[in-house]
Amino acid sequence: MSTSVVLGRLGVLSKTVLGRDSQPGSVDGYLALLAPAVEGDTNLLWLSHAAIAAVFPRHDEFERFRRDQALNGALPALAALVAAAKRPFAPNRGVGIRIATDTIVVDVHHTARTGLATGIQRVVRQTILQWQGRAEVELVGWDANFTGLRHLSAPERQNALHGSVPRITRPRDWVLTIPFGTTYILPELALERGRTDRISCLAEFSGNRTTVIGFDCVPLTSSETVGAGMSAAFANNLAGLAHFDRISTISGAAATEYRGWRQMLSGAGITGPEIEPLLLPSVAEDVSAADFELARTRLLTGDDPLVVCVGSHEPRKNHLAVLYAAERLWREGVRFQLVFIGGNGWNGDAFRRQLERLQGEGRPVKAISAVSDSLLWSAYRLSYVTVFPSLNEGFGLPVGESLSAGTPVVTSDFGSMKEIASGGGAIFVDPRDDDDVYRGMRAGLTDPELHARLSAEAAALPARGWSEYADALWQYFVPTSQPV
């Protein structure tokens, strides 16, 4: 690495630490100025480590540096960092740095690069769309090796906001963005080990305010319903959050789970973050007349009532119970058509086999994976009733979305699903009892008075949009700010 790169990093670091431009002209001159200023200051030591190495440190790396500083003094410890950064195979040898002190750094790495539109991505995108008008917001992601944050490229930003430019080539030239004295917001789920290690160190030692949206603890509380390795990856995520300042969970049920985890942290002498629930909004989106008619053509066959089940085909979503109840109702002569909307999740082979068997027998059932927002919202409005008997959810977006569209829902009698639908419009069932799922679907399809009452209840529910949610979240994460 050239001396000019080192001098550039030291110049940026010196300006932040000393509050002025300093140009001593040599590495030794910069280190002589910086050493007394950072001596014994953990936050400034973290900043110095990240700035000189152009890599966010992991816990073990930072502890070695901090001990070196305590034992031998700041000057030799900083000099050792410079020497390590100059080694031929040091990471990010040619990468410059910038220190972000006047922006709120929002880490949307996965959302910016994925083509998925899961519940988490929908929450992230709707939230940052509301925040994009705030001048202080900076959307960031990580480099290819998860060594640090960087400003998003224009296509990545577009994908983060709208999901319209997936599979983006990473920019070759990038600058490490180091938050300092500001707020770091993580609105998505971070599972990558390198990423969570460095986030954990940032939260504990950098002095930044660290905040995150907590979706659920399903990989731990219902580990039998998730794919192999997910529970271990989620444990890494929780380890990364242990020193955060605040978690805003998407429901009271999710807050209960996260508070149980925080209580366990006391055994390791860790206080853990403040945890408060902020229920996600549920507002039906408008659909054009043309899109609605296209959806009708795609979703409906004949005039029988439509039942829609939204969610990926994984065990936790309980779609086999829905198929069982549907088959039983069809055999009894109850007329309706069933559409599943969602991608193929983990361990969905049994669902696909049952679906194909029923289709082979001529039953009116189908599954659609890739859908637009207009098709999804048309499906909610075209449905006579929706069904969502999940075994565990941090929120359960399809419940709130169905009710916001004025359509009754059959859903689980506990957790966030009952929390969302407590105001009316729902038939509650025990999702672990096939007969009860059958009972709920049968009532929704065959009792017109019940259906009319539930539809009226759903239509009367108060509307709360994403702008209200995003503003409340901002106030919780950045409490000194003012609403726009």
Side-chain angles (χ1 to χ4, degrees):
M1 179 173 60
S2 67
T3 300
S4 63
V5 174
V6 177
L7 289 172
R9 294 177 187 174
L10 290 171
V12 174
L13 176 62
S14 177
K15 184 176 181 179
T16 300
V17 172
L18 302 176
R20 64 180 187 275
D21 285 320
S22 302
Q23 297 180 344
S26 68
V27 170
D28 289 343
Y30 271 118
L31 296 184
L33 289 173
L34 287 166
V38 305
E39 186 94 43
D41 187 319
T42 297
N43 300 162
L44 290 177
L45 288 171
W46 178 89
L47 176 64
S48 299
H49 195 302
I52 293 172
V55 172
F56 285 16
R58 295 187 175 95
H59 266 93
D60 57 341
E61 295 167 339
F62 181 71
E63 288 290 16
R64 284 197 299 270
F65 169 62
R66 191 165 65 156
R67 287 166 182 161
D68 184 18
Q69 180 268 159
L71 290 170
N72 302 310
L75 185 60
L78 293 172
L81 277 181
V82 171
K86 286 184 171 182
R87 290 172 185 161
F89 298 105
N92 301 341
R93 293 182 75 246
V95 173
I97 67 164
R98 56 179 286 266
I99 298 174
T101 58
D102 56 355
T103 61
I104 307 300
V105 176
V106 184
D107 181 354
V108 290
H109 175 82
H110 185 249
T111 305
R113 302 197 55 79
T114 186
L116 296 175
T118 66
I120 291 176
Q121 267 69 62
R122 288 164 67 190
V123 171
V124 174
R125 288 182 173 127
Q126 290 288 352
T127 301
I128 62 177
L129 274 169
Q130 302 300 323
W131 287 350
Q132 67 172 332
R134 298 176 183 269
E136 65 267 44
V137 168
E138 179 179 359
L139 301 183
V140 298
W142 290 73
D143 69 294
N145 297 313
F146 295 105
T147 63
L149 296 171
R150 59 178 177 81
H151 193 77
L152 295 184
S153 66
E156 287 174 322
R157 180 182 173 84
Q158 179 74 8
N159 196 59
L161 291 167
H162 305 289
S164 54
V165 195
R167 296 175 293 278
I168 304 161
T169 301
R170 288 184 175 88
R172 291 185 178 181
D173 298 322
W174 60 283
V175 174
L176 183 76
T177 296
I178 307 172
F180 187 70
T182 185
T183 298
Y184 167 85
I185 299 176
L186 178 62
E188 63 181 21
L189 185 64
L191 296 174
E192 304 89 351
R193 184 58 184 263
R195 184 183 180 191
T196 56
D197 283 351
R198 300 185 196 281
I199 288 173
S200 175
C201 187
L202 180 153
E204 185 172 2
F205 300 118
S206 73
N208 288 290
R209 183 178 187 83
T210 47
T211 61
V212 62
I213 295 178
F215 290 92
D216 59 61
C217 294
V218 167
L220 298 185
T221 58
S222 301
S223 59
E224 74 281 3
T225 68
V226 299
M230 183 60 181
S231 295
F234 188 74
N236 291 333
N237 169 265
L238 289 181
L241 304 185
H243 294 282
F244 267 53
D245 294 300
R246 288 186 170 183
I247 297 179
S248 176
T249 62
I250 59 175
S251 67
T256 298
E257 294 182 342
Y258 276 95
R259 285 169 180 159
W261 158 72
R262 182 182 62 187
Q263 187 173 2
M264 290 189 291
L265 291 176
S266 63
I270 300 172
T271 303
E274 177 185 309
I275 298 168
E276 290 295 333
L278 180 60
L279 198 68
L280 291 180
S282 298
V283 179
E285 296 182 11
D286 293 332
V287 178
S288 70
D291 285 341
F292 189 76
E293 287 307 311
L294 284 173
R296 184 190 297 275
T297 302
R298 186 174 179 186
L299 294 170
L300 294 176
T301 304
D303 298 325
D304 290 338
L306 175 65
V307 176
V308 166
C309 181
V310 177
S312 55
H313 312 311
E314 57 184 275
R316 178 167 57 93
K317 303 298 183 181
N318 212 20
H319 289 176
L320 285 175
V322 177
L323 286 177
Y324 162 80
E327 182 175 12
R328 193 169 163 185
L329 289 166
W330 282 321
R331 290 188 180 190
E332 291 178 1
V334 179
R335 296 182 63 85
F336 66 97
Q337 47 195 309
L338 175 61
V339 175
F340 291 88
I341 296 178
N344 294 321
W346 166 78
N347 200 16
D349 292 342
F351 167 79
R352 287 189 291 273
R353 287 193 298 268
Q354 285 291 86
L355 179 71
E356 291 169 0
R357 178 182 66 80
L358 290 169
Q359 289 174 330
E361 294 174 1
R363 299 299 186 185
V365 57
K366 59 186 173 183
I368 303 173
S369 55
V371 299
S372 63
D373 285 348
S374 61
L375 181 64
L376 178 64
W377 285 106
S378 297
Y380 284 126
R381 291 184 171 93
L382 289 166
S383 296
Y384 188 75
V385 66
T386 65
V387 57
F388 190 78
S390 178
L391 300 175
N392 193 355
E393 292 291 329
F395 184 76
L397 275 174
V399 176
E401 289 173 338
S402 181
L403 294 175
S404 71
T407 301
V409 59
V410 178
T411 193
S412 304
D413 189 23
F414 55 75
S416 64
M417 293 157 285
K418 189 167 187 178
E419 182 181 348
I420 296 165
S422 61
I427 298 171
F428 293 110
V429 300
D430 179 354
R432 295 179 176 85
D433 183 343
D434 285 352
D435 293 337
D436 206 34
V437 176
Y438 154 79
R439 174 199 61 78
M441 289 179 61
R442 193 179 197 285
L445 284 164
T446 63
D447 188 336
E449 292 184 2
L450 173 64
H451 185 272
R453 176 172 64 79
L454 295 176
S455 297
E457 290 175 355
L461 291 172
R464 175 171 162 267
W466 284 102
S467 61
E468 291 90 345
Y469 171 79
D471 190 61
L473 187 66
W474 185 268
Q475 292 299 306
Y476 182 59
F477 283 168
V478 192
T480 59
S481 61
Q482 296 297 318
V484 292

